[in-house]
Amino acid sequence: MIKKFLDFFKRNKISNLGEFGLIENIKSWINEEEKFVDNIIGIGDDAAVISFDKDEKVLASTDTFVEGVHFTRDITSFFDLGWRVLAANASDIAAMGGTPKYVMISLACPVNTKIDDIRNFYFGFKKLADILDIKLIGGDTVKLDKKIVVSISILGNTLSQNYILRNSAENGNLVFATGTFGDSAFGLKELLKNKNIRNFFTERFNNPMPRVKEGKFLGRNNLATCMMDVSDGLAFTLNEIAYKSNLGILLYEDKIPYSKEMKNTKDKLSYALYGGEDFELIFCARKENLDKILSFGNISLIGEVKDDFLGVKILDNKNKLSILPRKGYRAF
Ligand code: ADP
Ligand code: MG
């Protein structure tokens, strides 16, 4: 049996496993299960949940941005890149109901990179860091042949009982979303057509605002049973919550929140469902918390949790029910 696995590893490439398959294998190679004994939540959520002290949980996450894969210089300025990498990272802490606090940045770049470009990268980073009260505490700088690669790690915290996982939805919960959907993917599409365009949508793509205030509000008040951020589209996120919680989610098409700019756009539904990088939060909560949650603002009710099916179904505007596939951006 073991030989069969070893042969598979020798003969195949990581693309045969896919991104999730590879992560599952990494977990098994380092015996991740053992760590759960110490009350640690490791691989599998938006951030790891670790503990140094009984009253507090520390949240940790990391993200890597590769030129030509995650960004291109012609549509994302260095300033915007600095903003975006922090936004993506802070969003993962917000998705745990925590407060993002400290960041480390590793920068790999060619020797002929302009100083001004790197300066602008840090200015963009700092602009958002100051808004969110996040401090840069270190990093690493190395040489790379042709491309720029930025890796960013973040630490945040919550009180011990206040962190929110993605696998803990409950039957009968309501499903909520912050902000609006599809703007960022639509902005990217506009930039790919004309890299000089600047409008509401391109701003949503290049300068997304992670929902830290909303995440903290839900965490501190214990209002959500389950939460995840939307980096790979609404369909992917809802499916991840549903399958990890072993339940069904019913999404109401007419309740998906859109910006006023997006409202009359053709195909807005597919931008919302399958477009990436909205960095909004999806969470589930008990019905009794509905009023308190909606009174915070910038939050909409979009669906409900059911136990009579597994996965996600969408009830469209003509009252037709269909399965929402687990589609979205994956690395490979
Ligand atoms: P997100 O999209 O929220 O940033 P990812 O899809 O990148 O999350 O990662 C899913 C989970 O897998 C996270 O818990 C992350 O820490 C873990 N993970 C991803 N890549 C690796 C790796 N190479 N080694 C260990 N854990 C990993
Ligand atoms: Mg995430």
Side-chain angles (χ1 to χ4, degrees):
M1 190 65 173
I2 288 175
K3 188 175 175 308
K4 217 170 113 191
F5 273 121
L6 293 179
D7 280 350
F8 178 84
F9 293 148
K10 282 196 181 118
R11 271 187 289 108
N12 286 284
K13 310 260 159 57
I14 54 173
S15 58
N16 292 103
L17 293 173
E19 184 184 343
F20 286 127
L22 180 60
I23 295 172
E24 282 308 312
N25 272 281
I26 293 172
K27 236 163 122 170
S28 72
W29 297 330
I30 57 157
N31 289 324
E32 178 67 17
E33 307 69 58
E34 285 174 17
K35 293 194 181 158
F36 283 80
V37 176
D38 299 329
N39 222 354
I40 280 174
I41 294 168
I43 297 173
D45 216 303
D46 290 293
V49 183
I50 53 180
S51 191
F52 297 100
D53 168 314
K54 70 174 174 22
D55 298 325
E56 183 202 42
K57 296 285 184 203
V58 172
L59 308 166
S61 179
T62 190
D63 275 309
T64 301
F65 295 77
V66 179
E67 186 176 355
V69 179
H70 303 98
F71 70 95
T72 55
R73 294 186 201 203
D74 54 346
I75 61 171
T76 297
S77 68
F78 277 87
F79 184 95
D80 291 339
L81 180 65
W83 177 296
R84 259 180 75 197
V85 299
L86 178 59
N89 224 214
S91 176
D92 279 326
I93 300 297
M96 307 300 290
T99 307
K101 292 218 156 142
Y102 302 109
V103 160
M104 291 197 157
I105 294 182
S106 297
L107 204 56
C109 51
V111 286
N112 63 359
T113 307
K114 288 203 188 95
I115 302 168
D116 202 44
D117 288 342
I118 301 302
R119 183 167 155 263
N120 278 325
F121 170 85
Y122 278 96
F123 280 2
F125 167 83
K126 178 134 175 67
K127 182 96 190 263
L128 182 60
D130 284 349
I131 294 171
L132 300 176
D133 200 18
I134 291 172
K135 301 274 177 284
L136 177 67
I137 55 163
D140 196 19
T141 308
V142 295
K143 181 171 81 172
L144 194 64
D145 263 0
K146 287 197 176 78
K147 287 178 177 173
I148 292 192
V149 177
V150 183
S151 193
I152 173 163
S153 303
I154 192 162
L155 293 173
N157 69 345
T158 64
L159 290 178
S160 232
Q161 300 311 315
N162 288 355
Y163 65 90
I164 308 166
L165 302 179
R166 65 169 69 164
N167 65 358
S168 39
E170 302 164 341
N171 181 33
N173 279 176
L174 301 174
V175 183
F176 296 87
T178 63
T180 59
F181 288 84
D183 302 322
S184 171
F186 190 78
L188 173 61
K189 200 198 84 180
E190 298 229 298
L191 283 165
L192 290 171
K193 278 195 291 193
N194 175 0
K195 64 181 171 16
N196 298 315
I197 213 166
R198 292 289 173 275
N199 58 27
F200 166 81
F201 298 109
T202 63
E203 169 105 347
R204 285 273 285 159
F205 174 73
N206 274 322
N207 301 122
M209 183 54 75
R211 301 308 182 187
V212 171
K213 267 195 315 216
E214 291 81 351
K216 257 159 66 171
F217 161 72
L218 297 163
R220 284 191 179 156
N221 295 296
N222 270 317
L223 288 172
T225 54
C226 152
M227 183 149 66
M228 182 178 166
D229 73 333
V230 185
S231 45
D232 306 309
L234 198 47
F236 180 84
T237 305
L238 290 170
N239 271 286
E240 177 73 5
I241 291 175
Y243 280 100
K244 287 236 160 117
S245 304
N246 211 13
L247 286 163
I249 289 179
L250 181 60
L251 170 68
Y252 298 109
E253 183 185 342
D254 64 349
K255 296 236 174 0
I256 297 174
Y258 294 104
S259 59
K260 64 177 187 320
E261 290 81 355
M262 189 72 163
K263 278 229 157 80
N264 299 318
T265 307
K266 196 172 140 274
D267 301 333
K268 65 176 183 210
L269 181 63
S270 77
Y271 285 108
L273 294 179
Y274 308 115
E277 306 206 321
D278 283 310
F279 297 118
E280 298 296 351
L281 300 174
I282 298 291
F283 62 95
C284 303
R286 296 188 184 147
K287 282 185 176 144
E288 69 247 31
N289 292 321
L290 174 73
D291 293 341
K292 196 161 181 196
I293 288 168
L294 292 182
S295 71
F296 190 76
N298 198 33
I299 293 175
S300 316
L301 174 65
I302 61 166
E304 54 190 296
V305 180
K306 304 275 203 183
D307 68 355
D308 52 354
F309 64 93
L310 178 64
V312 183
K313 288 183 182 172
I314 181 167
L315 187 68
D316 72 15
N317 293 340
K318 292 175 194 120
N319 247 357
K320 210 180 115 244
L321 199 60
S322 48
I323 289 173
L324 191 64
R326 194 190 177 95
K327 252 180 18 187
Y329 175 81
R330 289 325 307 164
F332 48 83

